[in-house]
Amino acid sequence: MGKRWNVLERPTLELADQLRSADHSELAEGLRNAVPANLDQGPSDSHFPELRARLVQVVDKSSADEELRRTAQKLIEVIDDLPTALGRCGIVHITWQETKNPRIIDPDPPHYSGHWNGSLGRRDPEPDHVIYQNAPQFGHLSDALEWARRRSSRVFVRPAWDPGNTYWAGDDTSGHTLPGLEEPS
């Protein structure tokens, strides 16, 4: 199911099995419920807050085996710093978002958002179509690019000054034909 599955969701389900075997069924069930069943259908990271909270419960459970508590702590560290756990890989897409519909009463302010996902397979031997992480909202392109480049050398941007076109902002210069991103002066 991909890199993120191997470093986060699969080990979480294995931990749940171990907790069930150690008579901690409630903790095991909480972990199982926090991992979406449809991960092969392009999951996002929306389950991370619930999963992290369930892992904290394992760490805080004094009657749980120390090894199980250490495993839970390591999985919390993966959630907190996914780029370190996965390494620099995949593709990041950054897009300018601006709501221009007058019917929307309380739109988000204009911002950059995006996502980090696995490769699409043309250049990688093991395609991974999973969204690893959704980007927070950024007011400035430089902040969005810093977030993106920490995660991948392949970065695509639809900037505020030209939101209808995609530009290359990665440092991997092979295999793309897009114009390079240059901020207007």
Side-chain angles (χ1 to χ4, degrees):
M1 284 205 204
K3 289 179 90 166
R4 193 185 82 191
W5 166 260
N6 288 328
V7 300
L8 181 59
E9 286 88 1
R10 184 177 50 88
T12 296
L13 294 175
E14 290 170 354
L15 175 60
D17 290 342
Q18 294 169 343
L19 285 163
R20 180 170 281 115
S21 296
D23 291 328
H24 294 290
S25 296
E26 188 175 310
L27 291 173
E29 195 62 29
L31 284 178
R32 284 205 164 278
N33 290 338
V35 176
N38 62 344
L39 283 174
D40 59 339
Q41 298 174 9
S44 70
D45 60 354
S46 61
H47 65 291
F48 282 14
E50 174 69 17
L51 181 56
R52 189 182 194 291
R54 297 295 183 162
L55 289 164
V56 167
Q57 289 176 342
V58 175
V59 170
D60 291 345
K61 185 75 170 181
S62 61
S63 62
D65 179 76
E66 185 62 34
E67 183 62 31
L68 299 177
R69 293 169 66 202
R70 273 196 301 271
T71 299
Q73 183 59 49
K74 287 178 186 174
L75 291 169
I76 291 169
E77 291 166 10
V78 168
I79 291 171
D80 290 347
D81 190 9
L82 196 57
T84 296
L86 292 180
R88 215 165 162 235
C89 62
I91 300 168
V92 177
H93 299 270
I94 299 293
T95 305
W96 178 250
Q97 303 287 321
E98 187 171 7
T99 303
K100 294 183 179 180
N101 184 342
R103 293 183 188 175
I104 297 178
I105 295 170
D106 192 19
D108 287 333
H111 63 275
Y112 284 96
S113 66
H115 62 274
W116 173 33
N117 61 277
S119 69
L120 301 178
R122 289 196 327 231
R123 293 180 33 202
D124 294 303
E126 297 179 39
D128 189 357
H129 303 279
V130 172
I131 292 175
Y132 295 149
Q133 191 174 41
N134 288 308
Q137 293 183 359
F138 297 103
H140 302 284
L141 178 58
S142 60
D143 296 331
L145 289 173
E146 181 180 332
W147 182 90
R149 290 174 177 152
R150 178 160 185 251
R151 286 153 178 78
S152 179
S153 62
R154 296 184 279 175
V155 179
F156 299 93
V157 177
R158 288 183 175 240
W161 61 88
D162 192 7
N165 290 304
T166 303
Y167 293 87
W168 182 256
D171 53 17
D172 176 352
T173 58
S174 63
H176 74 84
T177 58
L178 295 172
L181 178 71
E182 293 182 27
E183 292 190 56
S185 46

